[in-house]
Amino acid sequence: MNQKKVLMVHGITDTGKIFQSMGNILDKYGYQPHTIDLIPSIGIADLRDLAQQLKQFINNNFHEQEKINLIGFSMGGLVTRYYLQRLDGIDRVNKYVSISAPNNGTNNAHFLPLKGIQQMRPNSEFLQDLNNDVKDILSKIETLVMWTPFDAMILPPKSSVMGVGKEVNFPVLIHRWMLEDKRVFNAILNFLGNKS
């Protein structure tokens, strides 16, 4: 069975609207795009609490037996990872895409002492916990990790790499442009399975 439902999870200070272009492309190729608005998304919330919001949203909007495809962008990549690795989300997800997420932290997170931002610092307790078993858990599903070497939000840019699944980088100049780039769209479509 080819799972067609795709849930996209945004990053810091964003809403689900940031996925409009990607959602249009997914819809064009027969997928059913969905988004969630994490509240609050400005870095003050514990990422574990945002992951609970994600879990509740999935439980409320998708049948218990159906599997979805999950995409996490930037901070949303960490929220989705916590859901997958700590909230049994791995059992609800068919395929997982991480886009420009600070999987090993970002040095930019040192500038603000907010809870969610502190969790995105390199070697934070939150990230050490997730990275301790990331390969064991995410290897259970197909995973695609995408990043850009020019990322000024994720410093160093290679911090997005997890060492699990398929990892690709595209020379996209600006962090959020990863959600507008045709090469990224094509990689996601190919990863999800077909363009029917």
Side-chain angles (χ1 to χ4, degrees):
M1 179 181 175
N2 188 14
Q3 284 87 357
K4 290 289 190 178
K5 295 184 178 179
V6 183
L7 176 58
M8 301 171 285
V9 183
H10 63 82
I12 195 166
T13 72
D14 286 323
T15 67
K17 291 180 181 178
I18 197 172
F19 291 108
Q20 184 171 350
S21 296
M22 185 177 290
N24 289 341
I25 292 291
L26 289 168
D27 183 67
K28 176 182 176 182
Y29 286 101
Y31 291 92
Q32 299 171 31
H34 301 264
T35 61
I36 178 177
D37 290 340
L38 300 173
I39 300 172
S41 68
I42 56 174
I44 62 175
D46 190 315
L47 300 183
R48 294 169 292 195
D49 294 337
L50 297 181
Q52 289 284 355
Q53 284 184 37
L54 174 61
K55 179 177 182 175
Q56 195 64 47
F57 181 89
I58 290 172
N59 289 345
N60 290 343
N61 290 278
F62 302 101
H63 296 300
E64 186 176 345
Q65 300 303 320
E66 75 177 330
K67 290 197 172 186
I68 63 170
N69 300 297
L70 188 61
I71 297 175
F73 170 65
S74 196
M75 180 188 75
L78 297 184
V79 172
T80 52
R81 278 187 60 195
Y82 194 86
Y83 168 71
L84 288 165
Q85 294 178 239
R86 297 291 176 264
L87 302 178
D88 299 320
I90 201 76
D91 297 325
R92 298 292 310 268
V93 171
N94 176 44
K95 295 184 179 183
Y96 173 57
V97 180
S98 172
I99 304 174
S100 295
N103 290 307
N104 294 286
T106 173
N107 289 323
N108 283 331
H110 287 291
F111 294 114
L112 288 172
L114 305 176
K115 180 65 175 180
I117 293 176
Q118 288 177 329
Q119 290 172 316
M120 291 187 272
R121 292 176 180 174
N123 298 312
S124 70
E125 183 179 333
F126 176 83
L127 286 176
Q128 287 184 47
D129 173 57
L130 284 185
N131 289 334
N132 187 48
D133 60 5
V134 60
K135 293 180 182 178
D136 293 336
I137 297 180
L138 290 189
S139 63
K140 295 177 181 178
I141 59 174
E142 290 185 67
T143 299
L144 173 64
V145 179
M146 292 187 286
W147 58 285
T148 170
F150 300 113
D151 206 322
M153 289 290 291
I154 311 300
L155 293 176
K158 206 167 184 180
S159 181
S160 292
V161 171
M162 283 192 287
V164 64
K166 180 180 180 182
E167 297 183 325
V168 293
N169 69 77
F170 298 104
V172 177
L173 294 180
I174 295 176
H175 182 69
R176 63 192 299 133
W177 286 2
M178 288 289 284
L179 301 184
E180 303 289 338
D181 194 278
K182 290 182 180 179
R183 294 165 295 185
V184 172
F185 295 161
N186 284 331
I188 291 173
L189 289 168
N190 288 328
F191 175 70
L192 291 180
N194 63 55
K195 296 184 179 181
S196 62

